[in-house]
């Protein structure tokens, strides 16, 4: 059970949060310009890395804010947490 | 006749407090302070159970939670009965009853014992090999297996006890109150860390508390005397909380631990009521100090499982702590010095120790010398090759061990005895450490797996970190505490420890016998009857991974998780396969460390608290009017209102007719409601719905369909424009929370530039939906001054009004095809509003209707229900709702996906109406649809999604999804059922009032 440091509320139990998949996949601004393959890439393809992964999380039972997390999926170490729109930390 | 083996008074046993209890129906006596195990041993009872596979007689082996054999059923036949309880952990109380498990008809005579003689035919993987084929025989096998095996019985009536959960936050959690845990907790608390010390036993002090020998001294006192003083001091320390009878079940990441605090199991039954029995502590600790100690290892030799064969350390604890001798004539079998302490403990109390068999060739420590001086015979370089005695150990047979330890030589010597204490060294209890995710390393010198890391958040101290001797413990503890707690002084460096113990040991994982392995029974896992032979067989059959060998042989898979034998299993595998122990790794230690009751896991979340129910403000009225309810999400919704003993069908037919002929009323409070405000609210709706919103006038309503980004229908509902920058959106009842979450997600992450604010107001409003040709007249009676003319208040529009002083929002919208008004008021006025409508509607026979009638009425109109007629694979085009998808808008959620090659296929499943050729036959929802009856296999074209008998059309109607159904209008299809084939015809899904004339009727 993680202890997650919500950038708006501070440390809270994982139970209060919802995971939201891979981060930094921007919704295309002009979807109609994309080929089926390009749209499918955005829609379906996710990395699911064993190791350091950039993820979206939501403080669903708290402030309801979305934020980003860098997590090592092999040992669940949370390496960084930063707000939506902020630049991801360089590794 | 029962014997009394109580040998001396112990300060932990209150001999003035005699307690009677029953074991296997027979009455015995013990004293306050006894465990069931110690009390039975005092009555000279070793045989307490039968093993799982061979049903061999088994006795008490340990004095703690690692016990593999003495597994009992507590209070059998009562509603408090509990199976799989370790007799070594049960504190006796007046009236306690316990019985053996896994034996039938009795532990003394057990029919399954015949398996023992069949054992050559029951090798490793026997169950896998024998019972896997043919599959249809499994039912027969299962009966046989369950009947002859079976670990205990679960209670058949509900649990009378109360369980609780509690969140605990502390700076330092110390697990284990042995000498190292006590010293660690004391230092942490004294340095102002909020500290919690837990121990699974009822007394503090671990094994040091009964360490009364003269060989080890701390500050010139016996370790037990010294530690008692330390424990006394703990009581006056602030910041320190101590919880006994509390075992850590699980150690998760980020120092999150679950502990079970046992509060009433040791009390007499009459004192258990109305108290919390067990409390699950959810502990979040900044630092964790693991002081979980070590478990003594047995030795693996032929017939090492007979009742009377115990761990040497257990023999010592029963003698020193409980004042019980485990036998009249004792023998010890060892590979290190610790058995000599146990031997001396018995000797000093005048109990016979017949011999010590030591596989080493010598030991020079003083304690060994003392044993020799006492005249106890020591057989150096000897091993036990066999034991005898079926229900109780009678003798051991020994032979000289070869220099390389792989064979035995010379002549056999038999030694009669009724108790054998076995000492195979110590295994650090690293289970919790590894549960936390931390890694182990193998120490070749000590032959143990040790914690490989100490971090600022977690350290292991004492024997669980490989420090087995008091001097090592104290020395290393001093440095570890300074590092972890970041403190300068511990006071531990001043403690003077004298110790006389040699750490020499000789490690042989599997001891040889004069017979070949195939003819012997050296048990590695006692509970599951896995022998060394089974492990070797698994390796011969090609299993290499330790995890596979474990599952194939079931080694370590019992309720004790193989706490005693796992190391030997690893050792035997390593020896046989010729690899090093460290390379082999270990099996994963999974929570819980000791079994957890279901009660503790669920806590207070039982009965009506098991899952939260949401009820509408009108709920009391529905209950009073005998509504039947259905669960929709967490809501309890009125389903139908039977009168005069109507069946559901009769009630729904009546309600449906009344709503179309005169007036009906529905509690629609559960629909999700989201208040949307901001200067970009219209643009936001444009992006989330498939249709256009910018031009919707203030005071107008519009139906919207929301897709997922993959183009599939996600939710629907009517949204009303309350003002220039203000909308109220309704969602489906079940989808409300997810829709809000999805909208927030897009707003925060994709379109943060939009000025939009979302507020869930579902619970703030109560909604009554008036429907039917007389609904306007009823509303007029309630709100006389509101102009209800179709010009002023047309379909799909909104008005604000007052009913007396109650403000309300009224939407003229319809889910039934009838003229309808949805009246929304502040939730607290909901019941008031409802009763006013019922009263005003009396003259029009207003009929309350539930969700079932609502579903029927909308099906007559061909309106979809998201989640019933859709399943996450339906696009609006599939639903034949092309009209709602804007062609003009550049983008909305899911738009691009509607143009993917797959979603544009003509042969996708599409929503159609179905009419049965026989109008009386009502299709089953979920029934499959085919176009051919005489073909096998036949393509399944689709399935029925909604089906009803329509009282207004007087025929059966259904909605279905059918492959290519859009172009099948009028086509004959078939619905094959178990006993008949139903002929159906594809039809327009709008069955009733296709021209929508009734909306303004
Ligand atoms: Zn937050």
């Amino acid at each position: 059970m993680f202890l997650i440091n919500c950038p708006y509320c501070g440390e809270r139990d994982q139970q209060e949060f919802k995971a939201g998949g891979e981060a930094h996949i921007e919704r295309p601004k002009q979807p109609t310009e994309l080929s089926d393959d390009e749209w499918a890439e955005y829609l379906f393809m996710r990395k699911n890395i064993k190791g350091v992964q950039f993820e979206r999380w939501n403080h669903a039972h708290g402030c309801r804010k979305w934020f980003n997390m860098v997590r090592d999926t092999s040992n669940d170490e949370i390496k960084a947490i930063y707000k939506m729109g902020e630049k991801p930390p360089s590794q | 006749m029962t014997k009394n083996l109580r040998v001396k008074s112990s300060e932990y046993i209150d001999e003035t407090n005699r307690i009677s209890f029953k074991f296997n129906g027979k009455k015995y006596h013990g004293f306050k302070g006894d465990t069931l195990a110690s009390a039975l041993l005092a009555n000279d009872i070793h045989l307490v159970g039968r093993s799982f596979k061979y049903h061999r007689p088994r006795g008490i082996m340990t004095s703690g939670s690692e016990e593999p054999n003495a597994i009992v059923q507590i209070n059998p036949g009562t509603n408090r009965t509990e199976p799989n309880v370790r007799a070594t952990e049960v504190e006796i109380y007046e009236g306690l009853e316990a019985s053996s498990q896994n034996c039938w008809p009795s532990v003394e005579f057990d029919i399954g014992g015949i398996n023992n003689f069949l054992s050559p035919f029951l090798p490793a993987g026997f169950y896998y090999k024998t019972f896997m084929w043919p599959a249809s025989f499994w039912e027969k096998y299962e009966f046989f297996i369950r009947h002859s095996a079976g670990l205990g019985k679960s209670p058949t009536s509900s649990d009378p006890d109360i369980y609780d959960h509690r969140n605990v936050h502390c700076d330092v959690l110390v697990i284990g109150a042995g000498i190292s845990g006590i010293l660690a907790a004391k230092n942490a608390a004294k340095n102002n860390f909020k500290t919690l010390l837990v121990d699974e036993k009822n007394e503090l002090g671990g094994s040091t508390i009964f360490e009364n020998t003269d060989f080890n001294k701390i500050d010139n006192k016996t370790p037990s005397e010294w530690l008692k003083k330390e424990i006394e001091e703990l009581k006056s320390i602030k910041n320190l909380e101590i919880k006994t009878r509390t075992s850590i079940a699980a150690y998760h990441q980020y120092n999150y631990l679950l502990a079970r605090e046992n509060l009433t199991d040791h009390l007499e039954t009459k004192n258990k009521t109305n108290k919390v029995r067990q409390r699950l502590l959810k502990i979040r600790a900044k630092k964790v100090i693991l002081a979980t100690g070590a478990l003594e290892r047995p030795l693996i030799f032929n017939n090492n499982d007979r009742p009377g064969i115990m761990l040497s350390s257990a023999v010592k604890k029963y003698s020193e702590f409980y004042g019980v001798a485990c036998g009249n004539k004792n023998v010890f079998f060892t590979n290190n010095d610790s058995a000599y302490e146990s031997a001396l403990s018995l000797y000093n109390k005048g109990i016979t120790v017949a011999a010590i068999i030591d596989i080493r060739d010598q030991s020079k420590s003083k304690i060994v010398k003392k044993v020799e001086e006492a005249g106890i015979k020591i057989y150096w370089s000897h091993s036990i090759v066999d034991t005898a005695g079926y229900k109780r150990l009678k003798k051991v047979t020994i032979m000289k061990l070869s220099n390389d330890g792989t064979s035995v030589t010379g002549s056999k010597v038999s030694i009669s005895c009724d108790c054998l204490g076995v000492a195979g060294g110590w295994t650090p209890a690293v289970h919790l450490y590894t549960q936390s995710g931390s890694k182990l390393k193998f120490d070749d010198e000590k032959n143990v797996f040790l914690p490989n890391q100490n971090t600022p958040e977690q350290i292991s101290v004492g024997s669980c970190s490989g420090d087995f001797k008091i001097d090592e413990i104290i020395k290393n503890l001093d440095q570890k505490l300074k590092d972890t707690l970041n403190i300068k002084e511990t006071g531990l460096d001043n403690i003077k420890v004298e110790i006389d113990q040699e750490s020499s040991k000789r490690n042989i994982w599997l001891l040889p016998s004069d017979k070949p392995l195939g003819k012997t029974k050296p048990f590695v896992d006692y509970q599951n009857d896995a022998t060394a032979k089974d492990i070797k067989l698994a390796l011969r059959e090609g299993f290499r991974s330790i995890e596979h060998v474990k599952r194939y042989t079931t080694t370590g898979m019992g309720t004790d998780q193989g706490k005693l034998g796992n190391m030997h299993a690893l050792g035997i595998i390593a020896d046989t396969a010729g690899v090093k122990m460290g390379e082999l790794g270990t099996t994963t230690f999974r929570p819980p460390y000791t079994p957890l009751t279901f009660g503790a896991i669920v806590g207070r979340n039982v009965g009506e608290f098991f899952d939260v129910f949401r009820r509408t403000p009108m709920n009391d009225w529905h209950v009073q009017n005998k509504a039947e309810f259905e669960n929709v999400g967490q809501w309890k919704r009125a389903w139908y209102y039977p009168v005069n003993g109507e069946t559901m069908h009769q009630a729904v037919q009546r309600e449906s007719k009344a709503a179309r002929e005169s007036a009906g009323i529905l509690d629609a409070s559960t629909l999700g409601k989201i208040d949307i405000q901001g200067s970009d609210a219209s643009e936001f709706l444009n992006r989330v719905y498939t249709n256009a919103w910018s031009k919707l006038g203030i005071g107008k309503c519009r139906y919207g369909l929301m897709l997922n980004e993959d183009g599939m229908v996600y939710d629907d509902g009517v949204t009303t424009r309350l003002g220039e920058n203000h909308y109220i959106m309704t969602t489906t009842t079940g989808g409300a929370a997810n829709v809000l979450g999805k909208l927030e997600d897009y707003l925060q992450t994709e379109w943060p530039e939009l000025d939009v604010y979302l507020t869930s107001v579902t619970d703030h409003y109560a909604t009554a939906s008036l429907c039917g040709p007389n609904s306007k007249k009823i509303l007029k009676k309630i709100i006389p001054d509101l102009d209800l003319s179709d010009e002023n208040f047309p379909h799909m529009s909104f008005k604000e009004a007052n009913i007396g002083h109650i403000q309300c929002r009224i939407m003229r919208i319809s889910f039934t095809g009838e003229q309808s008004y949805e009246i929304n008021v502040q939730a607290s006025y909901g019941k008031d509003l409802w009763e006013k409508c019922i009263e005003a509607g009396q003259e029009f026979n207003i009929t309350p209707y539930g969700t079932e009638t609502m579903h029927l009425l909308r099906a007559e109109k061909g309106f979809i229900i998201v989640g019933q007629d859709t399943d996450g694979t339906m696009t609006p085009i599939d639903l034949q709702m092309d009209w709602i998808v804007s062609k003009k808008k550049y983008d909305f959620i899911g738009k691009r996906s509607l143009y993917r090659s797959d979603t544009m296929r003509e042969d996708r499943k599409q929503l159609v109406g179905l009419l049965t050729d026989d109008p009386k036959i009502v299709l089953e929802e979920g029934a499959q649809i085919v176009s051919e009856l005489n073909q096998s296999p036949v393509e399944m074209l689709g399935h029925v999604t909604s089906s009803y008998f329509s009282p207004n059309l007087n025929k059966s109607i259904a909605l279905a999804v059918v492959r290519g159904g859009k172009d099948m209008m009028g086509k004959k299809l078939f619905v094959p059922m178990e006993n008949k084939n139903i002929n159906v015809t594809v039809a327009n899904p709008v069955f009733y009032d296709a021209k929508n004339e009734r909306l303004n009727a």
Side-chain angles (χ1 to χ4, degrees):
Chain A
M1 196 75 82
F2 307 166
L3 191 62
I4 297 174
N5 194 3
C6 170
Y8 305 92
C9 308
E11 285 189 337
R12 296 287 192 279
D13 192 277
Q14 186 186 342
Q15 282 185 81
E16 296 183 14
F17 297 85
K18 198 176 89 178
E22 194 179 336
H24 303 299
I25 296 177
E26 196 183 345
R27 186 176 189 272
K29 290 270 186 291
Q30 297 177 311
T32 47
E33 312 290 312
L34 302 182
S35 69
D36 269 13
D37 283 352
E38 287 166 330
W39 179 247
E41 182 69 27
Y42 159 71
L43 196 56
F44 300 122
M45 305 314 277
R46 297 295 182 269
K47 289 204 193 82
N48 195 19
I49 297 161
K50 181 179 180 182
V52 176
Q53 179 163 290
F54 292 73
E55 300 174 331
R56 289 151 29 92
W57 283 75
N58 179 232
H59 195 184
H61 298 283
C63 65
R64 294 192 65 83
K65 285 283 196 183
W66 284 89
F67 56 89
N68 292 312
M69 179 192 289
V70 187
R71 179 173 68 105
D72 187 333
T73 59
S74 67
N75 59 10
D76 284 331
E77 187 192 338
I78 297 171
K79 295 187 168 293
I81 281 176
Y82 53 102
K83 292 179 182 175
M84 279 293 158
E86 287 180 359
K87 271 179 90 177
S90 54
Q91 289 182 52
Chain B
M1 192 195 83
T2 56
K3 286 174 257 180
N4 187 356
L5 289 178
R6 201 69 68 168
V7 288
K8 71 145 214 203
S9 55
S10 156
E11 61 188 292
Y12 299 101
I13 297 295
D14 179 3
E15 292 194 37
T16 64
N17 195 343
R18 213 166 99 110
I19 288 170
S20 66
F21 65 97
K22 276 187 181 169
F23 181 66
N24 285 335
K26 206 173 154 195
K27 197 168 177 181
Y28 298 96
H29 293 284
F31 297 115
K32 184 84 194 147
D34 265 325
T35 61
L36 179 59
S38 70
L40 287 170
L41 289 169
N43 286 283
D44 202 20
I45 291 171
H46 278 253
L47 172 62
V48 288
R50 294 270 177 164
S51 68
F52 191 68
K53 196 157 99 183
Y54 302 138
H55 289 246
R56 283 170 69 101
R58 290 282 163 79
I60 298 157
M61 218 175 151
T62 72
S63 57
S65 59
E66 70 272 32
E67 175 62 37
N69 290 342
I71 307 293
V72 297
Q73 179 99 26
I74 295 295
N75 296 324
T78 70
N79 55 2
R80 283 202 168 87
T81 191
E82 189 179 352
N84 302 332
V85 179
R86 292 153 300 282
T88 49
E89 292 194 301
V90 177
E91 297 173 47
I92 62 164
Y93 52 83
E94 190 63 38
L96 170 75
E97 290 192 33
S99 65
S100 299
Q101 293 182 178
N102 198 29
C103 52
W104 184 80
S106 79
V107 70
E108 293 284 335
F109 176 75
D110 175 40
I111 276 178
I114 195 142
N115 284 3
N116 189 28
F117 304 103
L118 294 175
S119 66
F121 310 107
L122 294 172
F126 171 73
Y127 288 88
Y128 297 119
K129 287 167 182 161
T130 310
F131 296 124
M132 63 185 287
W133 188 90
S136 59
F137 272 31
W138 172 246
E139 281 176 32
K140 291 191 181 70
Y141 294 144
E142 193 185 19
F143 175 80
F144 167 75
I145 293 168
R146 302 255 180 251
H147 192 73
S148 61
L151 281 172
K153 291 190 175 66
S154 35
T156 50
S157 52
S158 69
D159 191 331
D161 286 314
I162 305 166
Y163 300 82
D164 205 5
H165 286 182
R166 180 181 288 173
N167 289 304
V168 178
H169 295 266
C170 58
D171 295 324
V172 178
L173 169 68
V174 182
I175 306 169
I179 183 168
S180 28
I182 284 167
L183 296 176
K186 187 176 168 185
N187 265 286
K190 277 193 165 172
N191 284 284
N192 290 321
F193 291 96
K194 190 184 165 205
T195 305
L196 174 63
L197 171 65
V198 300
D199 195 279
E200 60 183 4
K201 299 233 161 41
N202 59 341
E203 293 282 350
L204 303 181
S207 60
T208 311
I209 205 68
F210 53 89
E211 184 63 61
N212 299 315
T213 55
D214 300 333
F215 302 99
N216 302 327
K217 287 270 173 74
I218 307 176
D219 287 343
N220 288 320
K221 294 193 179 72
T222 66
S224 116
E225 269 178 280
W226 184 84
L227 192 59
K228 270 173 217 157
K229 197 176 76 338
E230 292 289 315
I231 291 170
E232 197 53 41
E233 280 178 36
L234 285 184
K235 288 174 188 160
S236 58
I237 298 178
K238 271 184 249 165
N239 290 323
L240 176 63
E241 189 180 0
I242 301 170
K243 285 189 180 293
T244 54
R245 298 188 178 100
T246 301
S247 54
I248 301 289
Y251 186 167
H252 298 290
Q253 299 139 325
Y254 295 86
N255 279 348
Y256 181 72
L257 300 96
L258 295 178
R260 182 207 55 199
E261 185 181 13
N262 210 335
L263 299 160
T264 66
D265 277 357
H266 60 290
L267 301 178
E268 273 182 58
T269 304
K270 64 175 188 213
N271 295 329
K272 290 183 203 281
T273 42
N274 296 325
K275 288 186 185 136
V276 172
R277 178 191 171 201
Q278 292 175 350
R279 187 176 282 135
L280 189 73
L281 306 175
K282 302 170 176 182
I283 307 170
R284 192 68 88 161
K286 294 212 173 75
K287 294 172 192 291
V288 172
I289 299 178
L290 289 152
T292 47
L295 303 174
E296 191 168 42
R297 290 179 194 170
L299 291 165
I300 310 299
F301 54 97
N302 184 22
N303 287 321
N304 58 343
D305 66 326
R306 300 193 187 282
I309 300 180
M310 308 175 69
L311 293 180
S312 152
S313 59
V315 174
K316 180 178 166 190
K317 178 160 188 183
Y318 286 117
S319 159
E320 294 286 337
F321 189 87
Y322 298 105
V324 172
C326 293
N328 290 306
K329 198 175 178 200
N330 299 274
V331 170
F332 289 89
F333 185 26
T334 187
N335 70 358
N336 69 90
D337 273 3
S338 56
Y340 293 80
E341 292 177 14
S342 308
L344 275 181
S345 168
L346 295 182
Y347 173 82
N348 288 339
K349 291 172 188 66
I351 301 157
T352 307
V353 177
I356 296 180
I357 300 138
D358 197 324
I359 66 172
R360 300 176 296 178
D361 54 10
Q362 61 163 340
S363 169
K364 292 199 179 80
S365 58
K366 270 190 226 158
I367 189 165
V368 172
K369 211 169 194 178
K370 180 96 178 178
V371 167
E372 278 170 336
E373 283 165 14
I376 297 170
K377 169 84 178 155
I378 304 172
Y379 293 91
W380 296 107
S381 296
H382 271 70
S383 181
I384 295 181
V385 296
D386 202 358
T387 65
Y390 187 56
K391 291 181 204 165
R392 178 70 182 268
L393 181 69
K394 290 202 175 90
K395 66 170 184 183
V396 298
T397 305
I398 64 172
M399 287 174 82
K400 182 116 175 114
L401 197 57
S402 68
N403 285 339
D404 65 359
T406 60
S407 59
V408 282
T409 57
S411 54
K412 290 183 188 174
V413 177
S414 282
I415 306 165
S416 71
C417 56
D418 59 0
C419 179
L420 175 70
V422 179
W426 296 86
T427 300
V430 293
H431 311 69
L432 292 175
Y433 169 84
T434 55
Q435 275 183 28
S436 76
S438 301
K439 300 281 176 262
L440 297 169
K441 64 164 188 276
F442 190 74
D443 184 321
D444 287 312
E445 194 190 323
K446 289 178 177 166
N447 263 305
V448 290
F449 281 99
L450 292 178
N452 196 22
Q453 67 198 54
N454 291 310
T455 65
E457 290 81 33
Q458 178 199 69
I459 51 165
S460 299
V461 302
S463 56
C464 74
S465 66
D467 298 337
F468 296 123
K469 294 194 296 182
I470 292 174
D471 53 344
E472 290 172 344
I473 290 172
I474 290 177
K475 186 170 129 258
N476 291 332
L477 186 60
D478 176 52
Q479 194 55 49
K480 282 176 183 172
L481 289 177
K482 282 174 181 163
D483 293 347
T484 306
L485 302 177
N486 198 16
I487 54 175
K488 292 214 167 57
E489 272 309 313
T490 63
L492 297 176
D493 36 3
N494 300 324
I495 297 171
K496 212 173 100 225
V497 182
E498 295 164 55
I499 187 134
D500 172 59
Q501 209 180 17
E502 224 183 70
S503 51
S504 87
K505 68 178 224 177
R506 182 181 187 189
N507 203 73
I508 301 175
W509 294 116
L510 170 61
L511 289 157
S513 169
D514 55 323
K515 292 185 202 138
L517 187 59
K519 306 267 186 219
T520 62
K521 284 219 177 62
F523 287 92
V524 176
D525 182 312
Y526 301 85
Q527 198 174 96
N528 277 341
D529 276 340
T531 66
K533 190 178 95 184
D534 294 325
I535 291 170
K536 293 202 171 203
L537 176 66
L539 291 170
R540 274 210 309 281
E541 291 185 358
F543 290 92
R544 286 294 171 269
S545 148
I546 171 70
E547 294 284 358
H548 290 159
V549 173
K550 165 179 161 176
R551 279 158 184 78
Y552 193 57
T553 61
T554 69
T555 303
M557 289 178 69
T559 58
D560 61 334
Q561 296 190 16
K563 291 187 179 75
L564 296 185
N566 274 346
M567 283 302 291
H568 305 83
L570 285 170
I572 291 166
I573 293 168
D575 284 353
T576 310
V579 295
K580 289 177 85 177
M581 288 281 280
E583 295 164 12
L584 210 53
T586 63
T587 55
T588 313
F589 298 113
R590 291 195 172 82
Y593 178 66
T594 49
L596 213 51
T597 58
F598 282 115
I601 293 168
V602 299
R604 304 260 178 180
N605 302 317
V606 290
E608 64 176 308
F609 302 117
F610 180 68
D611 197 11
V612 183
F613 288 127
R614 298 171 79 183
R615 294 185 170 92
T616 74
M618 293 80 140
N619 186 70
D620 287 353
W621 192 93
H622 305 323
V623 172
Q624 280 157 20
N625 288 272
K626 309 279 189 299
E628 293 291 329
F629 289 85
E630 78 166 330
N631 297 335
V632 182
Q634 287 174 322
W635 289 100
K636 285 275 177 203
R637 291 198 74 176
W639 194 10
Y640 58 97
Y641 300 81
V643 293
N644 302 327
E646 280 175 326
T647 63
M648 175 172 168
H649 177 74
Q650 289 165 336
V652 170
Q653 297 287 307
R654 173 183 51 76
E655 290 172 12
S656 301
K657 262 181 110 67
R660 293 223 188 275
E661 285 170 5
S662 179
I665 182 166
L666 171 83
D667 181 355
S669 307
T670 63
L671 286 182
K673 295 175 271 293
I674 301 170
D675 185 273
I676 302 174
Q677 300 193 41
S679 56
D680 293 317
S682 301
E683 171 61 16
F684 180 66
L685 291 174
N686 271 333
R687 295 187 191 187
V688 301
Y689 278 130
T690 60
N691 46 351
W693 290 81
S694 310
K695 290 189 183 131
L696 183 70
I698 292 168
K700 299 291 179 196
C701 315
R702 182 165 287 173
Y703 173 76
L705 207 55
M706 198 182 288
L707 308 185
N708 260 329
E709 206 66 275
D710 62 6
M712 304 304 157
V713 171
Y714 182 68
D715 204 78
D716 69 345
V718 170
T719 294
T720 302
R721 189 166 198 174
L722 302 174
E724 177 64 27
N725 297 323
H726 190 186
Y727 291 84
I728 184 139
M729 171 190 281
T730 55
T731 72
T732 59
T733 296
N738 289 337
V739 169
L740 179 70
K742 181 182 158 98
L743 299 183
E744 285 179 326
D745 186 351
Y746 275 90
L747 263 185
Q748 289 179 34
T749 67
E750 299 293 350
W751 309 320
E753 73 280 5
L754 293 185
D755 175 40
V756 176
Y757 303 89
L758 306 174
T759 311
S760 168
V761 292
T762 304
D763 294 301
H764 302 54
Y765 292 96
T767 309
S769 178
L770 273 177
C771 137
N774 286 319
S775 58
K776 192 184 278 182
K777 291 175 198 158
I778 297 169
L779 189 59
K780 189 78 196 166
K781 280 178 74 179
I782 303 169
I783 316 174
D785 50 351
L786 181 63
D787 179 358
L788 293 175
S789 66
D790 292 344
E791 298 72 44
N792 182 59
F793 196 174
H795 181 57
M796 297 307 271
S797 66
F798 151 84
K799 295 285 174 209
E800 279 182 324
N802 287 308
I803 304 174
H805 64 284
I806 308 170
Q807 288 184 323
C808 54
R809 288 173 172 172
I810 305 170
M811 282 86 165
R812 184 171 168 186
I813 53 177
S814 176
F815 192 40
T816 60
E818 298 298 320
Q819 199 174 128
S820 303
Y821 299 90
E822 281 193 3
I823 311 163
N824 295 276
V825 295
Q826 188 182 311
S828 48
Y829 295 120
K831 194 169 168 235
D832 209 30
L833 166 71
W834 183 269
E835 283 167 345
K836 274 199 165 63
C837 291
I838 296 282
E839 195 190 317
Q842 210 99 86
E843 59 177 296
F844 305 102
N845 183 33
I846 190 168
T847 302
Y849 66 92
T851 50
E852 193 63 22
T853 291
M854 174 186 83
H855 285 180
L856 192 160
L857 294 173
R858 65 85 207 179
E860 289 178 337
K861 286 292 296 173
F863 294 149
I864 60 154
I865 289 188
V866 173
Q868 176 160 344
D869 302 297
T870 73
D871 60 359
T873 67
M874 301 296 286
T875 70
I877 317 300
D878 297 337
L879 294 171
Q880 305 215 49
M881 291 173 76
D882 311 46
W883 55 271
I884 204 171
V885 181
S886 165
K887 303 276 187 300
K888 290 187 194 137
K889 284 199 295 183
Y890 180 71
D891 192 13
F892 55 81
I893 296 172
K895 172 165 177 161
R896 176 61 187 82
S897 291
L898 298 179
Y899 301 95
R900 291 179 60 237
S901 56
D902 184 57
T903 43
M904 299 224 295
R905 277 191 299 114
E906 287 297 318
D907 64 343
R908 289 176 62 81
K909 284 182 188 165
Q910 289 139 0
L911 186 82
V912 294
L914 280 190
L915 291 172
T916 49
D917 290 3
D918 178 348
K920 288 196 195 65
I921 297 179
V922 179
L923 297 171
E924 271 186 40
E925 287 173 0
Q928 307 289 295
I929 299 161
V930 299
S931 63
E932 290 288 337
L933 282 175
N934 303 317
Q935 202 178 312
S936 177
V938 63
E939 189 198 4
M940 194 274 274
L941 289 178
H943 65 277
V944 178
T945 59
S946 296
S947 175
Y948 304 91
F949 187 83
S950 160
N952 298 300
L953 296 160
N954 198 28
K955 65 179 179 186
S956 154
I957 57 165
L959 299 175
V961 292
V962 176
R963 189 176 297 284
K966 207 184 278 190
D967 298 323
M968 283 188 185
M969 209 52 59
K971 192 173 162 64
K972 300 276 182 192
L973 297 173
F974 307 98
V975 175
M977 300 301 290
E978 202 175 357
N979 301 315
K980 60 181 174 188
N981 296 309
I982 303 168
N983 296 348
V984 296
T985 306
V986 179
N988 186 324
V990 186
F991 300 101
Y992 188 79
D993 185 28
K995 291 183 182 153
N996 292 328
E997 286 163 344
R998 301 188 62 85
L999 286 172
N1000 294 310

